[in-house]
Amino acid sequence: MSRAVIGVDLGGTNMRTALLNHDGDVLERTREKTPVAEGYRQVIEKLSECIERQRCRARDRGMEVAAIGVGAPGVIHAAQGIVLTSPNFPDWKNVPLKQLLEQKLHIPVYVENDANAAALGEQWRGAGKGIDSMILLTLGTGVGGGIILEGRIWRGADGTAGEVGHMTILPEGRTCGCGNRGCLEMYASARGIVMSYHDRKAVLGLPGPDASVTAESVFREAQAGGDVALSVMGEMGRFLGIGIANLINIFNPEMIVIGGGVKEAWSLFIDAAVREIKARAFAYPAERTRIVPSVLGDDAGMIGAGSVALGS
Amino acid sequence: MSRAVIGVDLGGTNMRTALLNHDGDVLERTREKTPVAEGYRQVIEKLSECIERQRCRARDRGMEVAAIGVGAPGVIHAAQGIVLTSPNFPDWKNVPLKQLLEQKLHIPVYVENDANAAALGEQWRGAGKGIDSMILLTLGTGVGGGIILEGRIWRGADGTAGEVGHMTILPEGRTCGCGNRGCLEMYASARGIVMSYHDRKAVLGLPGPDASVTAESVFREAQAGGDVALSVMGEMGRFLGIGIANLINIFNPEMIVIGGGVKEAWSLFIDAAVREIKARAFAYPAERTRIVPSVLGDDAGMIGAGSVALGS
């Protein structure tokens, strides 16, 4: 029987699993709603069912699942597989996710922070193949980050490293959910884009907040040539460029990968971002650093979690 | 004969060498002006003389010098020992410092960036003993940085990493020598403090720029209770705190060490810095990170360069 692993992306909205072969090809998928409100035991129960379904499919293919990798949001103690705390799962405090899943599944389980898992996925099978030093920025509802140095995730002393979305970009800027002001996340995320759009309209004396505005509607308006939306996306690019310039000066990385839903608006922000990087970062490392869109999209987390299971 | 190394701090103003035993104790020192204007060959010639003097002293002590470590400013290719470019030495372009010194001295020479050397020195014999992840900020004329992860310097893809002084703290702030605007260096260095002092006086309508103002004179005025100087040092602490909060969120390090001449004014800025860090950084890593003054002062670079020579 050939060897397979299962990679899990455990999100606050959906839990997704992928059956992966040794090369990281996705053979089978599952996708279910995450029953966050029912508490962590129910979440783990439902996840176990998804995983068992994948194991049956593996057997049908003549494969054996050797291990499970789970990418989970929040502060993770990776070595012990414990979710210390998680913004998306309010009741998860010191949940021994590895241990609970192993008791149910009788198979080795490895747990990794979701942004780190996505970075590992891009490095293994996506934009960062063969790259040793790379930073992934996921521009979604918020801005997540995963830092790969010498081919490995930099987790920091407690596993909380990589919060590049919470770099201060504007000291007196918008108040962020993390308690800080002016975080990159407040300007370069989908939520930030919607806030900038409302702010810009207010400055211009145009009609006020409209609940139907989403990041996608701003992208569409900008693509259609709308001035307000175009200026919002230009500003978003400039703030993103400030953040990336900081990362270039600090890390001198080979590559910065930009993922998340906002990546779909690439052409609306990348020129402004690159101009800002050229104006701000040291020329030598700035020329070296390739700034590229993610390749794997939503699959990055599952594939990266699978790579953890394979590598461990 | 017991084994010794020589650690060199090659600065734009002074070249300093230390004869070190195996434990990193400084046994002998030399200090000479660096003849920058006479060109790199003359600088290397004079440095070789200082090193030969130290070797004689070592022999007098019954010791043999096994290797030389040099901390040099600028962009260094550490593996090859080449100074690619250096802001303090305008004519140094791709100078093969290791090779030129080895030809003269017939002894192994290792070259490291000066801020990295200082970080290694603090880790070996100073504030960071036994610490695996640590960032050194040297608040001098500018703001330098050295990043130690898993006990080793993070150099980046080209050896330019660690430029934490050139993080943007205020996007529309002062124009920095590096070309960026609002770098941490423009607010937390000795030069930045003098600029802030002049700016503050101008805002208050007080008499204009006075060439006698130095960072030290601002420190003295603040220590004597002067309002303008106290507010300048408080502002400096707040900007430093923003930069440190960013580093905590990105790296989750065990320790941040603050060195350089401005460190002498510790009590005038540290409270404001810590308040800003608490307000901005994630609580979990912020509580973990110890923020401490450097222990070795000006010796950190020589001692760290010596550790490179010993370890290599």
Side-chain angles (χ1 to χ4, degrees), chain A residues 157-158 162 168 171 246 250 252 280, chain B residues 157-158 162 168 171 246 250 252 280:
Chain A
D158 308 293
T168 302
N246 287 348
I250 292 170
N252 179 206
R280 293 188 180 273
Chain B
D158 308 291
T168 302
N246 287 348
I250 293 170
N252 178 207
R280 291 187 183 274

